[in-house]
Each structure stands twice: as C-alpha cells, then as structure tokens.
Amino acid sequence: MNPLLIYRIVCKDLKSELRGKETINFMFLFSFISLLMFNFAADPFSPALTEVGPGLLWFVFIFTGMLGLSRAFIKEKETGTLEGLLLAPVSTEDILYAKTFYNLLLMLGIQLIAFPLFIVLFNYNIAGSALDAFIVLALGNIAFVVVGSFMSALVMNAKSRELVLQIIVLPLLLPVIILTIISLRKVMIAGVNLLSIGEVKLIVFYVAIMAVLASILFEYIVEE
Amino acid sequence: MNPLLIYRIVCKDLKSELRGKETINFMFLFSFISLLMFNFAADPFSPALTEVGPGLLWFVFIFTGMLGLSRAFIKEKETGTLEGLLLAPVSTEDILYAKTFYNLLLMLGIQLIAFPLFIVLFNYNIAGSALDAFIVLALGNIAFVVVGSFMSALVMNAKSRELVLQIIVLPLLLPVIILTIISLRKVMIAGVNLLSIGEVKLIVFYVAIMAVLASILFEYIVEE
Amino acid sequence: MKFERKHAQVFLGTLWIVVLAAMYKVLFGLGPLKEELLRYPGDPMRNGYKIFFFSMEAAAVTYIAFTVVLLGSAFYLKTKDMKWDRIASSSARLGLVFTTILLINGAIFSNLAWGAYWNWDPRQTSSLFLWFTLAAYLTLRGAVDGVETRARLSAVLGIFGFVGVPLTHISTTIWLSNHPALYDTAQSTGFSLDRSGLILFMTLMTSFLALYIYLLWLTVKIDSLEEGSQKVFSGEL
Amino acid sequence: MIRVEELSKRFNNFTALDGINLHIKSGESFALLGPNGAGKTTLIRILSTLLKPTSGRALLNNIDVTVEPEDAKRQIGVVSHNPYLYDELTALENLEFYAGLYESNPDIPELLKLVNLDSRAHDPVGNFSRGMKQRLSIARAILHDPKILLLDEPTSGLDHKSRNNFYTLVDRLKSRGKTILLTTHYLEEAAGLCENGVILKKGVVTSSVDLKAPQPVLEKIFEDMGR
Amino acid sequence: MIRVEELSKRFNNFTALDGINLHIKSGESFALLGPNGAGKTTLIRILSTLLKPTSGRALLNNIDVTVEPEDAKRQIGVVSHNPYLYDELTALENLEFYAGLYESNPDIPELLKLVNLDSRAHDPVGNFSRGMKQRLSIARAILHDPKILLLDEPTSGLDHKSRNNFYTLVDRLKSRGKTILLTTHYLEEAAGLCENGVILKKGVVTSSVDLKAPQPVLEKIFEDMGR
Ligand code: HEM
Ligand SMILES: Nc1ncnc2c1ncn2[C@@H]1O[C@H](COP(=O)(O)OP(=O)(O)OP(=O)(O)O)[C@@H](O)[C@H]1O
Ligand SMILES: Nc1ncnc2c1ncn2[C@@H]1O[C@H](COP(=O)(O)OP(=O)(O)OP(=O)(O)O)[C@@H](O)[C@H]1O
Ligand SMILES: [Mg+2]
Ligand SMILES: [Mg+2]
C-alpha cells in the first residue's frame, strides 16, 4: 500500500469529476429531489412516515450509491484508461483502495447533506441520538462502498465472465442493507443506544471481512 | 416513422442485451432488493404498510428505471455506435421510438415480475382489482419511459451524465409520479374502479403531450 | 471581464434586497389589518395577509419567467440566434430568484396559516418543483461544454420544463390542498381583494414586473458582453 | 459529386474549418491531406451529416446534407477510425443489422469473404483484433452500394495484405463510377488511389495537389505539409 | 533485454499465441510483424503485464512479468492504439498525473514540446484530434525514462511530420540504449527503425527477418506475409 499513490489517484478522480464544478451542486440537488419524492409515498405527517422513514432514508443512499459507484471502475474501463493505471507501477490493491476511498468521499459528502435535509424536511423526530443515526448510516455506507467498489470492478469484465458473477453483486450487499435498516430503525424509532445494537457490530465485522477478502481477491479481477 | 426500422433496432438491442443480460439482470435484482428492503423498512404486517404500499411499489419502478434506462442511449454514445445509426438513413425520431419502445419492454418485463412479487412479499391486500392496479402502474411506466428515454438522449453529451439525468427527469416526472400514486392508492386502498379515476385520464393526457414534444424536439438533440 | 460580471451581480443582488426591504417597509407601514383591504373569513393570520402581495407577485413573475424561457428556447431552436439563448438562460436565472422569493414568502405564509414552515401543501411542493426545474435547466447548462451544444440542449429542456407551470396552477384542484383560491365560491376558503387591495396588488405587480424586465435586460446584456469579450480573447490567440 | 461551398465550422471559439470550397466530380477520387488537427475529420463528419456546419453548404450528388440528410445518407458509405460495430453481436449479425437499416439486400457472406472474415462470421466482434474490426467496417460501409465513399484514414490498423486488398477493392469501386473522398497520412496511399487532392491546414485549403505528379515532387509536398 | 520462453495464450478455446520464443538483446530494436489477428497485440499486452499468459514465461531485464509485475512495469513504456488519456484533464494534467504514478520527476513542458503540443498544454484532451492524442500518448510513455519501449502500431493516426518526428525520437532513444519492440504494418517503418524482426502468424513465429536486407527482398517478405 502506497498512500501517496492512492492520494494521487483520488485527486485525479476528484479533479476530473469536479471539472464541471457543478458536480457537488448536482449531488446536493439530486439527494434533495429524491428525498422529496418520498413525500408522495405517504402523507407527510402520518405516523406511517415514522415507521418507514429510516428505510426511505437509507434507500436514497443505496440508490445514489448504485448510480455513482458503478461508474468509478466502469468508466475507466470503457475509456481505456484503466489499462493506463495498470501499466503504471501501482499495485492493483492501491487502485482498489483509491477507488473505494473516492467513492466513500462521495457517499459521505452526500450523507452530510442529505441526512440533515431529511430531518428538516420531514420534521422527523429521531428517538435516539442523531449522531448515532448518522454513524449507523455512515457505517452502512462504508460497507456499501467497500463491497460495491470491489464488485463494480468485478462486473467490469462481466461480458467474458459467467452470468453467475453479476447475480452475486447485489445479493452480497443484501446483508449490509438489511443490517443497516434494522440498526437505523433501532436508533431512529426505538431510541436504542448505538453501542448496544448488535447489528452494528455485525456491520463492522462484515466490512472487515469484505475489506480483507477484497484486497486479497482484487488482483484476480484485473488480470485477464 | 418506419415501423420496420424501429422493429429492427429494437431487435438488435434485445439481442445484444440478451447476450450479456447485464442491464436486465441488474434491473431485476435491484427491484427485487428494493422490495426486500422496504419489507424490512416497515413491519410487514403493520397498518402503515397499507398506507405506503402503493407509493413504495411505484418508487421501486421509478428508481429501477432510472438506473437501467439511462444506459440505452449512453451506451451507444460511448461505444460510438450511435454514429453508426445516425449514418444510416433512419430518421432520428425512429431511433428515439426504438429506444423508447425497448425501454418500455424492459420496464413492463420487470413490472410483470415485481408486481406479483410485491403482493406476495408484503401479503398486500389490494382493495380494488389487481388488474386495474397493474394497468395504472403500466401507464405510469409508459409515461416514465417516454420522458426518461428522451432525457437520457438529452444528457448524452453532458458531464456527469447519470447524475444530471436524475436531476432533470425527476422534476419533469413529478406530475406523473403524483398522478400515478394517487390513482394507485385509489385502486389499491380505496378500491375505486379504474375507469372512474380522473387522474388516469390526466396521465394519458400527459403522456400524449410529452410524446409529441419529444418527437418534435428529438432532432435537435442528436444534431451537433 | 469575469470581475465585471461578478461586480454587476453583487450590485444587482444588493439592489434587489434593498428594493425588497423598501417594499416590505411600505407594506408593513400600512399598519394593522384593515378589514376593508382584505377579507379572509375567520382570519387566523392577522397581519399575515400582507405577505400574500409578495407571494402572489413572485408567483406571477415566476410564471412569466417560465414563459420567457419557453419562448426563448423555442425561438432559439427555430433561429439558432444566440440572442434567444441568452434571453432564455437569463430568464431561468431570474426565475430561480423569484421562485426562491415565492418559496420563502410561501414558507412564512404557511407558518402563519398552517403552523409549519413546510406544510407539504401541493401548492408549496409544486412551487418547489418549479424551483427544481429551473435548477435542473441550469445544471444541464453547467454540464455541457460547447456554447452551441449547451444552447441547443438546454433549449429543448426549457420547452419541456414548462409543464411545471400548469401543474402548479392545477395542483390545488387535483391534490388535497389547504391553499385558498381567489374568488373561490366555497365560502370557507374564499379569499378576495376589495378595490384598494386590488390597487395595491396592481401597483406591486407592475413594480415586480418592471424589476424582472429590467434585470432580464441587464443579465442578457452582461452575457452578450462577456461572450463578445471571449471572442476577442480567442481571436488574439 | 461532392460540392462544398464556403463551409465553416466553429467549436465554441475554435474555428476548425474556415470557408472551405471544394468540387469533386462524380467518379473522381479525391484526397484530403493535411497535418493532425487540420480539420479533415471535421469536414468528413459534416459531409456524413454527423455534424452541422456553422455556415456554408455541402452537396452530395446535388443533395444538401443539411436540408435532406436522409437522402444524403443513402448516397454515402463511411469508413473511419470508429468502426461503428456492436461488440456483442457477431460479424454477420452486425452486417445484417446495418443492411436492415439501409433496407438493402446485399450478399453478406460474399461481403465477408471480400474482407477476408468469412471464417470469423459467427464470432462476436468484441473479440476481434483492431485490424479485423476495421476490415468489417469496410464491409459495413459498402453494403448498401453507395455512390460516394467517405474514407477517413480507412487503412489505419490494417495489415499489408488487407491494405492491398482494400486498394484493389477501391479500384474496383472506382471503376464502377463511385466518387471517393479519402483522408490519409500516407503518400503512397494518396498517390495510389487518388488523382487530385487538396491540402488542408488549420481549417483552410492551402493548396491543391496533382497526385499524378512524379514521386519526388509529391514527397517534397508531403515534407512541407507539416510546416 | 526481453526474453520470451514457450509463451502461450488461450482465450477460451481460441489459441492466440502458441509457444512463442524470442530473445531481444538490450539496446536492440526489434520488429514484430504479421497480419491482422496474428497475436502481436496479445504478446505486447502480456509483456506489459496487462494479460497473464496461459503458459510459458516472459522476462524484461531478467524480471519475470508474472512474478514481479510492479518491477516489470517500471522497465517499460507502452504506446498503443489506446492513448490511455483522461479526456476531462488537460494535456499537462494528464502527464502530471502519470508522472506522479511513476513517482518520477520529468520536465513536462519539455516533453510537450518534444511532441509539439506545448501550445495546447492547457486544453482538455477530449477536444484533441486523434493524431494529437497519439502524440501525447508518446510523451506519456517515455516520461519515466523506461529502459524498454513496447510500441504497438505507435504511428497509427500520426501525420507525416509527426511520424518523422517520432522516428527521430526513437532514434535518439535507441542511441541512449533503450530496447525497443515495435509492431507495425508498414515496411518502411520496420526497416527504418529496427534491425531484426520476426513474423508472427496465427500465434506462431513463422520466420525471422533481417530488416537490413535490401528493399526488394523485404518487399517480397511483406507481400508473402498475408498468405
Ligand atoms: C395560507 C397561506 C396562503 C394564502 C392565503 C395564499 C393565497 C393565495 C391566493 C389567494 C392566490 C391566488 C389563487 C388563485 O389564483 O388560484 C395564491 C396564488 C398562489 N400561491 Fe398562495 N397563498 C398561501 C400560501 C402559499 C404557499 C405556501 C405557496 C407556495 C410556496 C403559495 C404559492 C402560490 C402560487 C404558486 C400561486 C399562483 C397559483 C396559480 O394561480 O397558478 N401560496 N395564493
Ligand atoms: N468537439 C470538438 N470540440 C472542440 N474542438 C474540436 C472538436 N472536434 C475537433 N476539434 C478540434 O478541431 C480541430 C480539427 O480536428 P479534426 O479531428 O478535424 O482534425 P484532423 O484533420 O482529422 O486530424 P487528424 O489527422 O489528427 O485526425 C482540432 O484542433 C481539434 O482539436
Ligand atoms: N479478449 C479476447 N477474447 C477472445 N479472443 C481474443 C481476445 N483478444 C484477442 N483475441 C483474438 O486473438 C487474436 C490475436 O489478436 P491480437 O489483437 O493480438 O492481433 P494483432 O496481431 O494485434 O492484430 P492487429 O494487427 O489487427 O492489431 C485475434 O484472432 C483475436 O480475435
Ligand atoms: Mg482525423
Ligand atoms: Mg494489434
């Protein structure tokens, strides 16, 4: 692992993403609009909202993530620049770390905007601590990004691979998705303290396993 | 309009999609997983579910569509084959119609699977006729696909295309989104008959306007 | 050249705030509720009504701004004359400002009348989507390189974007709403102006419109100057 | 017949083509020469209706490309750097698809044989080497028997033999009265295929070239082109 | 030094390379010739660590590409059909980024001048013409001063002058002791730049070529290559 190289790749990604300086605005607008959409699903002040609120909130991130993350590798693949990276003496893990880190930056950026917005817009009353809820979301996002980045590298070459591989991508994410929802509901509806939620530990555990697996297996993904 | 050419382009898209099945698999999985997620978002037997059910169901389509449809034009653009189509004596409208039709096939295919799945998963009790609910959903999907396909062509040349697409499409779709939810709730919760729902007529009206606008304006999108 | 534009924008912004403040001052100088000025049965809002004059004017200008975007876009596509693109895009930027004013006024109104700044009233929500539509239009402009491509693509979107206007207009009828209607037949939500109210309304309307037109003229001018200067620069290269 | 009148194309503030005039007679083979970035591809893209000119006009067999683009498209076959092929489809399927779009009925196996790909007809194009794609792209360009061929560096990536095959093919097409507009960076190619040509530089036609001139003269012209 | 031993590469059931043996001495310039689809790009991609061989091994300056890929990568500069450039970044930023990855500190303005792009340094690469990208790609390949250059049809898309500039550049690099492996479909290029070469056909080395042989002999060899 070479932090300097990782930093340089992340900078490059940020730079080419931010070329239209508007991207941050885009992200803001986007999370704003998709949050607003949910208003129409239920009467905004009905108790049903308290019920489904955490789920909807988390869904916005999954959806945003799906949109954004898959691009990180696929774009480099399609424009052929991934080979440029692979030609340079950067270890394949570092490429994975850089992409994961970049994705994480994006997701946390969106979270920083969308989470307060959600609370204000829906006048949502979090039963537990707002910080706890934020941390749970962030954990979910980390898990999502770690697995998602790795898997998006996997599907990159999907054409020549077996169909089965693609079908693994989303289901692999399923545990995190569900664990996060459960934890989020415990914090936001039942007001449970973060540290006493078993699911949170499971998420951390899951991230750890996935991260280790990903760094071991990544080199098999990029080789052809 | 040349139906034969449209048919040929749709066939080509279907054929190359079925080779890799990437988009289809992805869309199915995504809709499946979001349904599952919403299942965890609320206690499946709580009354809140009846309330928000129609809204959630419809969102699954909106978001699945968002993720999948954008590829129809963007992929042809990125691989350079869009120029191949434009070099052939096919009117630009026909290209639009073909892509719209293809997207519609995808969406209806997904609906055919996701709608029964929703009912089973949530054990949802539709107050009105299930067929009516299906038709309302299909109408909403048609509106969505008409606008979405057109807009995905519009953003083809933009930076951060995928994000921009969402930002553009969601406000434009707001009328259909609201109208579809209202109609869906009328059918699924209040048990109103399809033909006596005024909003359904409005949806049809909206689709018609959008379709006309789209076919008039499309040529301005592809010219450079 | 960039500096000049920034200065002009700061200047205009300040001007607008000053004008707005002056108008509020004038209106609130009217003193407490005069029954004859505005009839609102069971008036729960006391002086809150005054803000109606602003929200309604802002709404009207927003609609007008949308119409100008629509027309500018259509004419651009027809003639390919950049003038129309400048008019459309300037109108969109101004429309964003006026929609913001509408939303802020609306929120104040909503708090007075319904007890929450954001009430998810269809009028309120659809107005917000008007804002999003303009924001989307400007977003697209930001995301496309190339002056002509940008003009062309955003013109197409500008035409589509207009659907928000009729939607906002009918939103109260197709979706359950608390928003009152002018000259409503239903007594309970009826809301009407008498003669002096109407005069005040028309005066404000005229000044809002004048402001919009003036600002539109200014922004179009600034844009065309800026474009001209860019041409000079690249010519030198 | 290709006629270009006062054609200009500006990208933002960059002028890629600046008042081009050209007249290429029916059945003529014409070379468009010039250094990188001269505007050759831009001109060909305008002729093939992919780009709209900023001003001026372009006629293909008396059809204005901006006025009647669909008729214009039937007149032309385009080979460029981009093969316009679908990676997921096989060579055969690609040609069938394009034949369908042109509503013409070519002998596709024959076409595949012509570009020496008959043995790979059922392979997805995504697995082809660069040169194989380029060859298939040539078959794609002529399948509707167009009257005008726009060839933008058509031999890039082709091997020696395919290049010679391509030259023979072009000769055959010439003898069948096709009009040909070719861009190339190779003297032999220009001299071998075309009679006349022009040199484009920074969007302006700087001189016309008689490609039947003796080799040393041509070499001198090519040497000077980059200045 | 490049040493290839019994190297094979199979894609699914298609054998692209079949037991290749090559030895290229340090400082030698070597041409890899052969028709389209022969496996030239495949071999170069294996040497540049982008593909893993199915069997056999390949050494660059005694470093096995599959065993120590990162060390191997430092030895090589690759120019291929794909320029490996980011369209959103400017020419300068692209080079700076790659220099950062190689952790080397080249004189980037000098490099840009070398490929004649100093005036476009601050333009996003997306707006470049094909030939301009290719030139920038050459600068990218040599910015870390690699000992071995793998050039896969490096002049594709370059104009006459840039090609000559490129030849001069390669000559200069040769005189500085670089090892060069070149694929090309052009006889003059192979003969001008390389001393020795081999012909690859259907994944097998069919013969070796002395590129210092007289022109007619070489022409004959090229003619026969397609058979
Ligand atoms: C209780 C508070 C409010 C009152 C008494 C009020 C009053 C009115 C009245 C009387 C009209 C003219 C109605 C018509 O022509 O149908 C109007 C129009 C409008 N108001 Fe309000 N309003 C209130 C709150 C809001 C809010 C919160 C918003 C949104 C931010 C809003 C946005 C609009 C718009 C967009 C129009 C133009 C509608 C159209 O005719 O198309 N209003 N308002
Ligand atoms: N979409 C675009 N936006 C901005 N500039 C462009 C665009 N397309 C081309 N250009 C510029 O126009 C000029 C002409 O490009 P063009 O591709 O026509 O050159 P060319 O003569 O085909 O060069 P080559 O021989 O390298 O293919 C170049 O300077 C290029 O940078
Ligand atoms: N990913 C792949 N999957 C399957 N077959 C492939 C793949 N890549 C290359 N091939 C096949 O391997 C063979 C050699 O391809 P390669 O690209 O090495 O040829 P080449 O000698 O570089 O040809 P060219 O001169 O046209 O560039 C071709 O027949 C090609 O179809
Ligand atoms: Mg070109
Ligand atoms: Mg090759």
Side-chain angles (χ1 to χ4, degrees):
Chain A
M1 194 169 105
N2 184 332
L4 188 63
L5 292 185
I6 297 179
Y7 167 78
R8 281 181 180 146
I9 297 176
V10 171
C11 279
K12 182 271 297 170
D13 276 341
L14 275 179
K15 204 193 270 173
S16 61
E17 182 67 40
L18 295 182
R19 259 298 125 81
K21 277 170 244 99
E22 302 81 359
T23 311
I24 297 189
N25 296 344
F26 298 177
M27 280 171 26
F28 171 75
L29 262 180
F30 171 71
S31 53
F32 198 1
I33 295 179
S34 36
L35 272 180
L36 274 177
M37 283 293 155
F38 288 123
N39 150 56
F40 298 103
D43 296 328
F45 298 113
S46 87
L49 189 76
T50 318
E51 257 308 284
V52 292
L56 294 184
L57 181 60
W58 177 221
F59 184 75
V60 170
F61 292 108
I62 302 274
F63 176 66
T64 315
M66 282 288 166
L67 259 179
L69 302 193
S70 61
R71 298 302 294 158
F73 277 105
I74 293 178
K75 197 185 160 204
E76 295 242 17
K77 174 77 184 176
E78 283 176 356
T79 57
T81 47
L82 184 71
E83 295 195 345
L85 287 183
L86 291 174
L87 279 177
V90 185
S91 71
T92 49
E93 294 96 80
D94 283 356
I95 298 178
L96 174 67
Y97 295 146
K99 292 290 171 187
T100 310
F101 191 71
Y102 169 72
N103 282 335
L104 196 60
L105 278 185
L106 280 192
M107 287 301 274
L108 292 184
I110 292 178
Q111 190 185 327
L112 221 52
I113 299 172
F115 182 68
L117 207 63
F118 168 82
I119 296 177
V120 172
L121 268 181
F122 290 90
N123 203 6
Y124 196 94
N125 219 328
I126 298 185
S129 127
L131 184 66
D132 280 5
F134 191 87
I135 294 175
V136 170
L137 262 182
L139 270 178
N141 276 332
I142 293 175
F144 181 78
V145 161
V146 167
V147 180
S149 307
F150 180 75
M151 290 301 150
S152 84
L154 192 75
V155 288
M156 201 166 61
N157 287 319
K159 238 167 274 165
S160 55
R161 310 236 156 201
E162 247 111 339
L163 218 121
V164 193
L165 279 183
Q166 301 153 37
I167 300 176
I168 291 169
V169 178
L170 274 170
L172 255 187
L173 282 173
L174 199 61
V176 208
I177 293 178
I178 290 170
L179 287 174
T180 309
I181 280 208
I182 298 177
S183 322
L184 213 51
R185 296 190 69 192
K186 286 197 177 163
V187 173
M188 290 172 70
I189 302 176
V192 182
N193 185 287
L194 179 69
L195 294 176
S196 52
I197 302 176
E199 283 84 1
V200 172
K201 282 166 208 141
L202 277 179
I203 299 179
V204 175
F205 185 63
Y206 180 90
V207 174
I209 292 190
M210 286 295 153
V212 171
L213 270 183
S215 23
I216 295 174
L217 294 177
F218 188 64
E219 67 172 298
Y220 295 104
I221 286 186
V222 288
E223 90 174 357
E224 241 180 287
Chain B
M1 194 169 105
N2 185 331
L4 188 64
L5 292 186
I6 297 178
Y7 167 78
R8 283 183 178 145
I9 298 176
V10 172
C11 280
K12 183 268 298 170
D13 276 340
L14 275 178
K15 204 190 273 174
S16 61
E17 176 62 40
L18 292 179
R19 286 279 147 82
K21 297 208 191 69
E22 285 149 341
T23 313
I24 294 188
N25 284 336
F26 179 71
M27 285 169 86
F28 272 124
L29 274 169
F30 186 77
S31 58
F32 183 58
I33 287 195
S34 19
L35 277 178
L36 264 184
M37 240 188 82
F38 286 132
N39 196 11
F40 281 92
D43 296 328
F45 298 111
S46 89
L49 191 74
T50 318
E51 207 22 52
V52 293
L56 293 186
L57 180 59
W58 175 220
F59 277 128
V60 170
F61 292 110
I62 301 269
F63 287 103
T64 310
M66 285 287 178
L67 288 172
L69 302 194
S70 63
R71 301 301 298 156
F73 276 103
I74 293 177
K75 196 183 163 207
E76 295 243 14
K77 173 77 186 178
E78 283 177 352
T79 57
T81 46
L82 184 69
E83 294 194 346
L85 287 183
L86 291 175
L87 279 177
V90 184
S91 72
T92 50
E93 295 96 81
D94 284 354
I95 299 179
L96 174 67
Y97 296 148
K99 292 288 170 184
T100 309
F101 191 71
Y102 169 71
N103 281 337
L104 193 61
L105 282 185
L106 280 192
M107 284 304 272
L108 292 183
I110 290 174
Q111 188 184 327
L112 221 53
I113 295 178
F115 182 67
L117 204 65
F118 166 82
I119 296 176
V120 173
L121 263 183
F122 290 84
N123 200 10
Y124 197 95
N125 216 327
I126 299 185
S129 126
L131 183 66
D132 281 4
F134 191 88
I135 294 176
V136 169
L137 262 182
L139 270 179
N141 276 332
I142 293 176
F144 175 78
V145 161
V146 167
V147 178
S149 309
F150 181 82
M151 292 299 152
S152 83
L154 187 82
V155 298
M156 233 161 33
N157 287 312
K159 286 174 281 187
S160 326
R161 306 178 184 110
E162 272 86 0
L163 265 181
V164 176
L165 178 65
Q166 319 306 320
I167 294 175
I168 288 174
V169 168
L170 288 176
L172 284 183
L173 281 175
L174 185 72
V176 212
I177 292 179
I178 297 179
L179 290 172
T180 309
I181 285 200
I182 298 177
S183 321
L184 213 51
R185 298 184 69 178
K186 283 194 179 164
V187 173
M188 289 172 69
I189 302 177
V192 182
N193 184 287
L194 178 69
L195 293 176
S196 52
I197 302 176
E199 282 82 3
V200 171
K201 281 164 209 140
L202 278 176
I203 300 180
V204 175
F205 183 64
Y206 179 90
V207 175
I209 293 188
M210 287 292 153
V212 171
L213 268 183
S215 32
I216 295 174
L217 294 176
F218 188 65
E219 64 170 302
Y220 295 106
I221 288 184
V222 289
E223 88 174 31
E224 237 180 288
Chain C
M1 283 300 139
K2 276 253 155 60
F3 299 100
E4 265 181 35
R5 178 171 175 193
K6 279 225 169 86
H7 289 325
Q9 280 173 341
V10 171
F11 172 72
L12 281 179
T14 324
L15 181 78
W16 176 225
I17 291 168
V18 170
V19 169
L20 203 65
M23 284 181 166
Y24 268 96
K25 183 85 182 107
V26 168
L27 190 61
F28 280 84
L30 287 175
L33 175 70
K34 293 181 194 151
E35 271 304 326
E36 69 278 13
L37 187 66
L38 176 79
R39 244 177 336 98
Y40 192 72
D43 173 40
M45 297 180 287
R46 287 184 294 279
N47 281 324
Y49 71 90
K50 288 167 178 170
I51 215 166
F52 155 77
F53 291 97
F54 287 97
S55 84
M56 186 58 213
E57 318 290 15
V61 176
T62 300
Y63 284 9
I64 289 170
F66 263 86
T67 315
V68 172
V69 173
L70 172 74
L71 294 177
S73 301
F75 284 129
Y76 173 77
L77 290 182
K78 195 114 196 89
T79 63
K80 293 291 160 70
D81 184 344
M82 288 308 286
K83 178 180 76 193
W84 292 112
D85 176 60
R86 284 194 284 272
I87 290 178
S89 66
S90 305
S91 180
R93 271 180 279 164
L94 290 177
L96 201 66
V97 174
F98 281 93
T99 318
T100 311
I101 294 170
L102 167 66
L103 287 171
I104 294 173
N105 278 308
I108 299 173
F109 221 156
S110 157
N111 189 36
L112 288 169
W114 305 317
Y117 283 102
W118 195 256
N119 193 52
W120 292 110
D121 189 84
R123 207 17 67 88
Q124 220 170 5
T125 313
S126 56
S127 303
L128 180 59
F129 274 87
L130 284 183
W131 192 89
F132 280 139
T133 308
L134 292 175
Y137 174 90
L138 295 173
T139 301
L140 180 70
R141 290 186 73 88
V144 179
D145 287 328
V147 180
E148 268 125 40
T149 320
R150 176 188 309 150
R152 189 161 42 80
L153 295 183
S154 60
V156 172
L157 185 61
I159 293 173
F160 270 89
F162 191 77
V163 288
V165 172
L167 175 81
T168 310
H169 186 66
I170 62 166
S171 63
T172 44
T173 39
I174 60 168
W175 182 252
L176 221 68
S177 170
N178 287 321
H179 187 279
L182 212 47
Y183 306 117
D184 196 347
T185 43
Q187 280 282 311
S188 57
T189 57
F191 185 101
S192 69
L193 294 172
D194 69 357
R195 229 173 70 86
S196 54
L198 213 62
I199 290 172
L200 182 59
F201 179 83
M202 292 318 280
T203 318
L204 272 171
M205 187 74 226
T206 320
S207 57
F208 259 73
L209 248 180
L211 186 70
Y212 165 77
I213 293 171
Y214 173 65
L215 289 177
L216 184 65
W217 178 76
L218 263 186
T219 18
V220 169
K221 185 144 183 134
I222 291 171
D223 277 6
S224 62
L225 282 179
E226 191 177 71
E227 210 161 281
S229 72
Q230 270 175 7
K231 272 206 186 111
V232 171
F233 276 135
S234 68
E236 279 167 3
L237 272 174
Chain D
M1 185 220 63
I2 304 175
R3 181 188 289 278
V4 173
E5 290 170 2
E6 287 300 328
L7 197 76
S8 295
K9 176 70 191 180
R10 253 199 320 280
F11 294 110
N12 307 326
N13 292 317
F14 183 85
T15 306
L17 290 178
D18 196 358
I20 303 282
N21 286 296
L22 274 185
H23 181 60
I24 303 169
K25 289 191 289 288
S26 283
E28 193 177 342
S29 322
F30 197 88
L32 199 57
L33 308 171
N36 291 141
K40 305 180 293 297
T41 300
T42 307
L43 178 57
I44 290 205
R45 284 171 63 83
I46 289 176
L47 290 176
S48 50
T49 74
L50 291 177
L51 273 181
K52 286 249 159 78
T54 310
S55 65
R57 44 178 220 153
L59 304 176
L60 299 174
N61 293 338
N62 287 320
I63 300 166
D64 190 319
V65 291
T66 48
V67 179
E68 294 165 283
E70 269 165 67
D71 285 333
K73 286 171 186 174
R74 283 184 203 283
Q75 308 293 321
I76 53 169
V78 181
V79 179
S80 87
H81 172 73
N82 174 346
Y84 310 121
L85 299 172
Y86 293 91
D87 278 354
E88 300 85 11
L89 303 183
T90 66
L92 190 72
E93 285 167 338
N94 264 293
L95 294 188
E96 276 169 357
F97 171 61
Y98 277 108
L101 290 190
Y102 284 96
E103 297 179 281
S104 74
N105 233 327
D107 183 350
I108 292 177
E110 187 56 40
L111 272 171
L112 281 171
K113 209 170 288 164
L114 199 69
V115 294
N116 238 316
L117 283 171
D118 41 341
S119 66
R120 301 291 287 260
H122 297 285
D123 259 17
V125 168
N127 290 347
F128 279 18
S129 80
R130 163 91 190 117
M132 290 154 78
K133 282 187 191 178
Q134 193 66 15
R135 265 146 52 184
L136 188 58
S137 182
I138 293 169
R140 193 214 78 249
I142 58 173
L143 54 70
H144 57 296
D145 199 23
K147 296 210 182 61
I148 298 177
L149 286 168
L150 304 176
L151 311 174
D152 192 5
E153 305 188 28
T155 56
S156 88
L158 290 193
D159 62 26
H160 192 84
K161 185 180 167 218
S162 316
R163 226 155 47 221
N164 285 338
N165 286 349
F166 177 72
Y167 298 151
T168 331
L169 177 64
V170 172
D171 277 335
R172 199 151 66 200
L173 292 168
K174 269 163 69 174
S175 71
R176 270 157 58 193
K178 309 286 180 200
T179 313
I180 288 168
L181 179 60
L182 170 89
T183 82
T184 179
H185 291 302
Y186 294 92
L187 167 57
E188 316 80 69
E189 197 162 300
L193 295 179
C194 303
E195 294 99 43
N196 294 307
V198 288
I199 294 180
L200 210 63
K201 224 180 271 183
K202 294 193 177 156
V204 184
V205 175
T206 54
S207 58
S208 62
V209 184
D210 175 9
L211 287 163
K212 292 282 151 270
Q215 179 82 0
V217 177
L218 291 178
E219 256 165 33
K220 179 84 175 58
I221 291 174
F222 260 71
E223 285 306 323
D224 291 347
M225 207 160 66
R227 301 287 135 74
Chain E
M1 185 220 64
I2 303 174
R3 183 188 288 278
V4 173
E5 290 170 1
E6 287 299 329
L7 198 76
S8 295
K9 176 70 190 177
R10 250 198 322 279
F11 295 109
N12 306 324
N13 293 318
F14 183 86
T15 306
L17 290 179
D18 197 359
I20 303 284
N21 286 296
L22 274 184
H23 180 59
I24 302 169
K25 288 192 290 290
S26 282
E28 193 176 345
S29 320
F30 197 88
L32 199 58
L33 307 171
N36 291 141
K40 304 180 295 298
T41 301
T42 307
L43 178 56
I44 290 207
R45 284 171 64 82
I46 290 175
L47 289 176
S48 51
T49 74
L50 291 177
L51 274 181
K52 288 250 158 79
T54 311
S55 65
R57 44 179 219 151
L59 304 177
L60 299 173
N61 293 339
N62 289 319
I63 301 166
D64 189 318
V65 291
T66 47
V67 179
E68 293 165 284
E70 270 165 65
D71 285 334
K73 285 172 186 174
R74 283 183 204 283
Q75 307 293 322
I76 54 170
V78 180
V79 179
S80 86
H81 173 73
N82 174 347
Y84 309 121
L85 298 171
Y86 292 91
D87 277 355
E88 300 85 13
L89 302 183
T90 65
L92 190 72
E93 285 167 341
N94 264 293
L95 294 188
E96 276 169 357
F97 171 62
Y98 277 109
L101 289 189
Y102 284 97
E103 298 178 283
S104 76
N105 232 330
D107 183 349
I108 291 177
E110 188 55 40
L111 273 171
L112 282 170
K113 212 170 284 164
L114 199 69
V115 293
N116 237 316
L117 283 172
D118 40 342
S119 66
R120 301 290 288 261
H122 298 284
D123 261 17
V125 168
N127 290 347
F128 280 17
S129 81
R130 164 91 190 117
M132 290 154 78
K133 282 188 191 176
Q134 193 66 15
R135 265 145 54 183
L136 188 58
S137 181
I138 293 169
R140 194 211 80 250
I142 58 173
L143 54 72
H144 58 296
D145 200 22
K147 297 210 183 59
I148 298 177
L149 286 168
L150 305 176
L151 310 174
D152 191 5
E153 304 188 31
T155 57
S156 88
L158 290 193
D159 62 27
H160 192 84
K161 189 185 165 209
S162 316
R163 227 156 44 222
N164 284 337
N165 286 349
F166 177 72
Y167 297 153
T168 330
L169 178 65
V170 172
D171 276 335
R172 200 153 64 201
L173 293 167
K174 270 164 66 175
S175 71
R176 272 158 56 192
K178 309 287 180 202
T179 313
I180 289 167
L181 179 61
L182 170 89
T183 82
T184 178
H185 291 301
Y186 294 92
L187 167 57
E188 317 81 67
E189 198 162 297
L193 295 179
C194 303
E195 295 99 41
N196 295 307
V198 289
I199 293 179
L200 210 65
K201 223 181 274 183
K202 295 192 177 158
V204 185
V205 174
T206 53
S207 57
S208 63
V209 184
D210 175 9
L211 287 163
K212 292 282 152 269
Q215 179 84 1
V217 176
L218 291 179
E219 257 165 32
K220 178 87 174 56
I221 292 175
F222 260 72
E223 285 307 323
D224 291 345
M225 206 160 67
R227 302 285 135 74

